[in-house]
Amino acid sequence: MMDFLHSYPVLYYIFIVIFSAFITLFAIPSILHVARFRHLYDDLGHFRKSHDHGIPRLGGVAIFVSFTITSLLFCMTDQSLPINYLLTACIILFAMGLKDDLSGVNSNTKFLIQFIVCAILVVLGNIRLESMYGVFGIFELPYLLSVGVSILLILLLINAFNLIDGIDGLAATTGIIANGTFAALFIYLHQYELAAVSLAMVGAIIGFLRFNITPAKIFMGDTGSLLIGLISAVMALKFIALSKGVDGKSTVDLFAVPALAFAILIGPVFDTIRVFIIRISNGVSPFAADRNHIHHRMLKLGFNHLQTTCILTSINIASIVMVLLFKSYGNSLLILLIIAVSLVFNWMITFFLRSKERSSVALRNLFV
C-alpha cells in the first residue's frame, strides 16, 4: 500500500489529507457526547463570548490525535525535520492546552511551558531563523541572537492563533490556508517530509471545520489553537530556512521567501501585534482580555461570523498572491507593503465603526 502511494505522490498527499480528516470526523462526535455527558462547556459568562448557549471546547483533542497519528504513520523520516522533537513539543503543549480548556492554567505557568516547548524546538531541534536573508539589510544572525529571535517568533505565532480563535471558523480556516500554502511550496521545492507534516495538519483541521463552521457545534479551545500555531510557526521557519538553497539552487529567485512567509501568517500576526500595542499604550497588560480584536470589531459593524471569516481569509489569500506576483520588488518592500495594506484595512474598520457610533448617537438624540 505504502509503495503504491509513494509511486504516485499526488495520491500520497491526497491520502494524507483524507486520512487525517477522517480521524477528526470520527473522533469529534464521541468528544461531543462526552462533553455533553460531563457538562464540559465553554464559559458563557465571559464578556468576550459571542454565543448564547454552551458549546464544548475540546475540538483540539481531535485535531491533536489526528495530526499525531497521521504524522507517525505517513510522514517520511529524514533530516529536514526532527519529528521526534516536534512531536515531543506537541505533546507537552497538548497537555497544557487540555488542562487550560478543562480548568484553566495560570498565565505564568502557561508562558513557562510555552517557552520550554520553543526551547526544545529551537535548541534541540535546531529549528531556527539563522539569517534575515537581506530583509532591511540584515543577513546572518549570531547563534544566541538566532535562538532568541526564533523562540520569540514561535511564541508569537502560538499565541497569535490562540488570540484569533474568537469566532466560528476563523482560526481553523487561517490554519488551513497557512499550512496548505506551506505544503504546496514544500512540494514544489521537493521538501516532501515537510509537505506531509503540513498536510497532516490541514486534514485534521478540515475534519474539525465540519463541526466549527457557523453555527459551531464545538470549539478547538487552547488545545487546538496552540497546536495549529506551533505547527504553522515551525513550517514558517523551515520555509524561510530554505532561502539558503535547495539542491544547490537558491529559492530567493523563485519566491521572496521571508515576505511570503510573512504574508501567509499576516492575519494572526498583525492582529496580535496590534492589540498588544494598544493595550500597552493604554497601560494595560498585553495579555489582558478584551473585545478589540479585528474580528470582534467586524462583528460590531454588523458582519456575522461566516462573513467576517471569509473577509479576513480573503485578505490573507490576497496578500499571498500579491507577494507571488511582485516577488521581484524584494522582501523589504513587500513586507512594508503588506503592513501598509493591513493598516489601511484596520483604518477602514475604525472609520466605519466611528461613523456607526456617530449615527447611533444622532439617532438617540433625535428621540430625546
Side-chain angles (χ1 to χ4, degrees):
M1 175 66 173
M2 293 301 297
D3 291 338
F4 172 80
L5 290 172
H6 282 124
S7 300
Y8 299 90
V10 175
L11 292 179
Y12 176 71
Y13 292 124
I14 293 174
F15 183 80
I16 286 177
V17 174
I18 293 175
F19 183 85
S20 184
F22 175 78
I23 294 178
T24 311
L25 288 168
F26 180 78
I28 286 183
S30 297
I31 293 172
L32 285 171
H33 173 75
V34 172
R36 288 165 183 161
F37 182 74
R38 296 292 183 181
H39 302 288
L40 303 175
Y41 296 121
D42 199 25
D43 181 12
L44 285 178
H46 198 282
F47 72 94
R48 291 195 303 164
K49 304 306 176 184
S50 55
H51 298 79
D52 58 2
H53 60 283
I55 299 176
R57 54 179 304 184
L58 296 175
V61 174
I63 294 174
F64 169 79
V65 170
S66 174
F67 171 75
T68 303
I69 291 175
T70 305
S71 297
L72 289 172
L73 285 177
F74 299 107
C75 294
M76 298 163 281
T77 302
D78 59 32
Q79 297 303 313
S80 63
L81 184 68
I83 197 72
N84 54 330
Y85 293 122
L86 179 63
L87 291 180
T88 299
C90 289
I91 292 170
I92 295 172
L93 204 60
F94 167 77
M96 184 202 72
L98 183 60
K99 170 68 164 53
D100 195 26
D101 288 334
L102 292 175
S103 60
V105 175
N106 179 274
S107 59
N108 292 331
T109 302
K110 185 185 296 187
F111 179 81
L112 175 61
I113 293 175
Q114 290 178 357
F115 180 83
I116 292 172
V117 164
C118 295
I120 289 173
L121 292 171
V122 174
V123 179
L124 300 181
N126 200 36
I127 300 172
R128 58 189 176 89
L129 188 68
E130 299 179 21
S131 170
M132 292 293 289
Y133 305 101
V135 176
F136 305 125
I138 304 172
F139 289 89
E140 293 299 317
L141 298 175
Y143 177 76
L144 290 180
L145 181 59
S146 169
V147 168
V149 170
S150 301
I151 288 176
L152 287 176
L153 285 174
I154 299 175
L155 277 172
L156 171 66
L157 285 167
I158 287 175
N159 288 284
F161 272 87
N162 182 236
L163 290 174
I164 66 167
D165 184 30
I167 61 173
D168 299 342
L170 180 57
T173 307
T174 304
I176 291 172
I177 291 172
N179 288 280
T181 304
F182 283 131
L185 292 167
F186 288 140
I187 292 171
Y188 184 82
L189 296 170
H190 308 296
Q191 298 295 303
Y192 301 118
E193 183 193 15
L194 294 171
V197 173
S198 294
L199 290 174
M201 178 54 71
V202 169
I205 303 172
I206 289 174
F208 165 78
L209 191 59
R210 159 70 178 79
F211 298 90
N212 184 243
I213 206 70
T214 301
K217 298 180 178 65
I218 193 169
F219 299 145
M220 66 173 64
D222 285 7
T223 307
S225 60
L226 295 176
L227 180 63
I228 294 173
L230 178 70
I231 300 303
S232 300
V234 169
M235 295 301 106
L237 288 177
K238 296 302 293 186
F239 176 62
I240 294 173
L242 295 179
S243 293
K244 292 188 297 185
V246 179
D247 299 329
K249 298 179 180 179
S250 174
T251 58
V252 174
D253 296 332
L254 301 174
F255 311 108
V257 175
L260 184 53
F262 184 64
I264 291 170
L265 298 167
I266 185 59
V269 168
F270 177 78
D271 187 51
T272 300
I273 294 176
R274 175 188 155 275
V275 295
F276 276 15
I277 291 174
I278 292 174
R279 290 169 185 173
I280 293 172
S281 63
N282 290 333
V284 179
S285 168
F287 301 102
D290 58 33
R291 287 184 62 87
N292 197 31
H293 291 282
I294 289 178
H295 52 267
H296 288 137
R297 302 174 79 219
M298 292 185 69
L299 292 180
K300 292 177 183 177
L301 284 175
F303 294 103
N304 60 33
H305 286 224
L306 182 59
Q307 291 168 336
T308 300
T309 295
C310 289
I311 291 171
L312 292 176
T313 52
S314 295
I315 294 172
N316 193 174
I317 294 171
S319 298
I320 296 169
V321 173
M322 181 179 68
V323 172
L324 291 173
L325 290 176
F326 300 105
K327 62 183 180 182
S328 60
Y329 283 77
N331 286 294
S332 301
L333 183 58
L334 285 171
I335 289 173
L336 289 175
L337 183 59
I338 294 168
I339 294 172
V341 170
S342 301
L343 289 171
V344 169
F345 177 70
N346 180 67
W347 175 85
M348 290 174 61
I349 295 176
T350 302
F351 174 79
F352 287 119
L353 275 174
R354 289 177 179 174
S355 297
K356 186 177 180 180
E357 289 172 1
R358 285 195 296 266
S359 298
S360 298
V361 170
L363 188 62
R364 284 197 302 268
N365 292 336
L366 186 65
F367 292 97
V368 172

